[in-house]
Amino acid sequence: MASPHNKNSSSQAELKKAWYHGFHKFEHGIYAGIKSFYIAKVVSYDRKKHRADVLPLANWSDGTKSAQYLDIPVVESCYMFDEMADALKPELSKADSDHSLPEHSHTQFTKRLPKRRFMRAGVPVVCAVLDRDNDNWGGSTDTYTPNSGRMHDANDSVVIGVLGGSWLSG
């Protein structure tokens, strides 16, 4: 014979299970709203301002493509080698063509430079999402006051790395 105590215990277990699932969904909702890092494709890149428009590569769970994020700052390590190679190319070209010195008779420095720039449209990159709104950041070490209360939003991203390629083929 079933006792009323056992029936009560069963409904308490179901209630606990429902609370657990409810809090798990709530927790998932919070985590889904916090952005941290994502992989994207560079759609366009402004070499003078070091800003990129990117398209995240991960679709939403229903297959919908993500929107582009525009005018994202690019960290120096992503483009520094490109600028250094551009600056050295004329001097290396002179060394390649100056055969008056025996040690330069077989140099091919410019052929060993990358064929393409590392930071360019079409490459995959890693973007980090900043904790706070960075609309008012001037790109320097000066402090700034955020333009809004926005937090962990992909609109406040920074390109932190280029994925793929090789040093020679870019």
Side-chain angles (χ1 to χ4, degrees), residues 15 24 33-34 41 45 49 56 73 75 78 83 104 106 110 117 121 136 140 142 146 150-151 154-155 161 163:
L15 186 58
H24 184 68
I34 298 175
K41 177 176 94 171
Y45 175 59
K49 294 180 182 177
V75 298
C78 293
E83 291 184 354
H104 289 186
H106 293 77
T110 53
R117 301 174 70 80
N136 287 345
S140 70
D142 295 338
R150 189 171 65 217
M151 296 180 71
N155 288 300
L163 298 172

Side-chain angles (χ1 to χ4, degrees), residues 73-98:
V74 177
V75 298
E76 190 176 32
S77 59
C78 293
Y79 60 82
M80 186 185 300
F81 183 82
D82 294 335
E83 291 184 354
M84 184 177 69
D86 289 346
L88 291 175
K89 197 170 195 170
E91 295 301 316
L92 295 174
S93 183
K94 286 179 192 175
D96 287 345
S97 62
D98 182 9

Side-chain angles (χ1 to χ4, degrees), residues 108-128:
Q108 296 180 352
F109 294 123
T110 53
K111 287 184 181 179
R112 289 180 172 81
L113 289 174
K115 307 281 186 270
R116 298 182 292 177
R117 301 174 70 80
F118 291 119
M119 188 62 202
R120 64 184 187 279
V123 297
V125 292
V126 174
C127 299

